[in-house]
């Protein structure tokens, strides 16, 4: 049992951490209703920016590019990361430790290393840069996170359930989809959401590997910082935060409902 003083200290520290993370987000949401064109000076309340954002084609195009990269990256990273986690969890083979080490590298090395390496490879291959040339970099840094999350889920997996399914006549394919996949699905979903968030927020790799004229939202915001960030960026950030909050809430409620049903 924790002492009352220890509980108060831990609560205060946790509260400070949450405030550190969420106060900037609250300021973004509040200043999305700011009447001033300057993002740091409050002059009054308005909803005009929520209407004008639809006319900002540059911002909309950058957002669509970011969503495109995030969706493609999430699909590829989730499939490959899940397969890698299953292979590392189930099988013992020569070089397994080396393979595990290779998957841990993108987690610890800076993104700038991946970006420069990809740019060098594209230069050697004489490839023209475009929107799709950013995908390999995004996949490289997100696949490890998916694998780690799924591995954490598999660590508590009961292999006797698969054996029971096979004893009842199910083949390997049926066993995976009817038994294994539903049980590890929460880990796969968590890894996919993590990959989507990382890809949507990625700046360094996108900055180095995108072609001329192609912008993602982080790259566009960076280019706007020198001239002042438009309140429309705060509006778009607020919309994205609201959408992500709703998605996470729905997923959490469904998973909780499924757990209660079981």
């Amino acid at each position: 049992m924790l002492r009352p003083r220890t509980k108060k200290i831990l609560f205060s520290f946790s509260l400070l951490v949450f405030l550190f993370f969420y106060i900037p987000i609250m300021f973004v949401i509040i200043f999305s209703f700011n009447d001033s064109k300057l993002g740091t000076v409050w002059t009054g309340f308005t909803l005009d920016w929520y209407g004008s954002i639809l006319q900002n084609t540059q911002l909309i195009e950058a957002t669509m590019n970011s969503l495109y990269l995030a969706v493609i990256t999430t699909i590829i990273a989730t499939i490959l990361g899940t397969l890698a986690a299953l292979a590392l969890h189930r099988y013992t083979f020569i070089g397994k430790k080396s393979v595990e080490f290779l998957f841990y590298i993108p987690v610890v090395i800076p993104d700038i290393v991946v970006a420069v390496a990809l740019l060098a490879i594209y230069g050697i291959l004489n490839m023209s840069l475009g929107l799709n040339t950013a995908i390999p970099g995004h996949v490289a840094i997100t696949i490890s996170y998916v694998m780690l999350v799924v591995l954490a889920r598999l660590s508590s997996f009961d292999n006797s359930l698969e054996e029971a399914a096979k004893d009842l006549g199910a083949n390997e394919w049926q066993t995976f989809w009817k038994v294994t996949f539903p049980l590890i699905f929460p880990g796969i979903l968590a890894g996919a959401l993590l990959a989507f968030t990382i890809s949507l927020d990625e700046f360094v790799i996108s900055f180095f590997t995108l072609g001329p004229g192609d912008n993602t939202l982080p790259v566009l915001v960076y280019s706007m910082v020198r001239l002042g960030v438009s309140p429309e960026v705060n509006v778009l950030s607020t919309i994205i935060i609201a959408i992500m909050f709703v998605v996470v809430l729905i997923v959490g409620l469904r998973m909780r409902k499924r757990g209660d049903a079981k």
Side-chain angles (χ1 to χ4, degrees):
M1 295 293 293
L2 294 176
R3 296 179 180 179
R5 184 179 178 183
T6 305
K7 289 183 178 180
K8 291 181 179 179
I9 294 175
L10 292 176
F11 175 78
S12 300
F13 179 76
S14 302
L15 182 62
L16 289 175
V17 171
F18 278 104
L19 290 175
F20 176 79
F21 282 111
Y22 288 104
I23 285 180
I25 297 176
M26 293 303 300
F27 271 101
V28 169
I29 296 174
I30 292 172
F31 275 91
S32 68
F33 302 101
N34 186 17
D35 189 39
S36 173
K37 291 185 178 180
L38 299 176
T40 57
V41 180
W42 180 267
T43 59
F45 181 87
T46 184
L47 293 173
D48 293 342
W49 300 115
Y50 281 84
S52 63
I53 190 175
L54 299 176
Q55 302 174 0
N56 193 329
T57 56
Q58 188 180 26
L59 194 60
I60 296 299
E61 183 180 357
T63 303
M64 296 305 296
N65 288 341
S66 292
L67 290 174
Y68 169 78
L69 288 177
V71 170
I72 298 299
T73 299
T74 301
I75 293 173
I76 298 175
T78 301
I79 294 174
L80 296 181
T82 302
L83 293 176
L86 288 170
L88 292 174
H89 175 75
R90 289 183 173 183
Y91 306 110
T92 301
F93 50 88
I94 299 176
K96 180 178 178 179
K97 294 295 183 181
S98 300
V99 173
E100 289 181 352
F101 177 75
L102 289 176
F103 276 104
Y104 281 108
I105 289 179
V107 179
V108 297
I109 64 173
D111 292 349
I112 186 68
V113 176
V114 179
V116 173
L118 279 174
L119 190 61
I121 293 173
Y122 293 150
I124 294 173
L125 299 177
N126 198 24
M127 292 178 58
S128 58
L129 299 181
L131 191 61
N132 291 327
T133 52
I135 294 177
H138 284 227
V139 173
I141 64 171
T142 56
I143 187 174
S144 298
Y145 292 94
V146 176
M147 186 200 73
L148 292 174
V149 173
V150 177
L151 271 177
R153 182 69 179 180
L154 286 169
S155 63
S156 59
F157 184 78
D158 188 0
N159 294 325
S160 62
L161 296 174
E162 291 183 331
E163 296 174 0
K166 293 177 181 178
D167 290 340
L168 293 174
N171 56 33
E172 293 287 343
W173 189 253
Q174 291 172 330
T175 300
F176 175 78
W177 286 111
K178 297 295 184 179
V179 178
T180 309
F181 182 78
L183 292 175
I184 66 173
F185 178 72
I188 296 175
L189 182 60
L193 290 175
L194 185 60
F196 181 85
T197 303
I198 294 173
S199 177
L200 190 67
D201 189 53
E202 176 55 43
F203 166 74
V204 177
I205 293 176
S206 299
F207 184 79
F208 276 82
T209 57
L210 285 174
D214 293 320
N215 274 327
T216 59
L217 187 58
V219 174
L220 179 62
V221 171
Y222 173 78
S223 65
M224 295 170 63
V225 168
R226 292 170 292 181
L227 302 176
V229 178
S230 169
E232 294 172 347
V233 175
N234 293 334
V235 171
L236 184 60
S237 301
T238 302
I239 294 174
I240 293 175
I241 291 171
I243 293 174
M244 294 299 294
F245 176 80
V246 172
V247 170
V248 172
L249 182 63
I250 292 174
V251 171
L253 290 175
R254 291 192 64 181
M255 290 178 63
R256 182 177 180 180
K257 185 178 180 181
R258 180 181 297 180
D260 293 340
K262 290 182 179 180

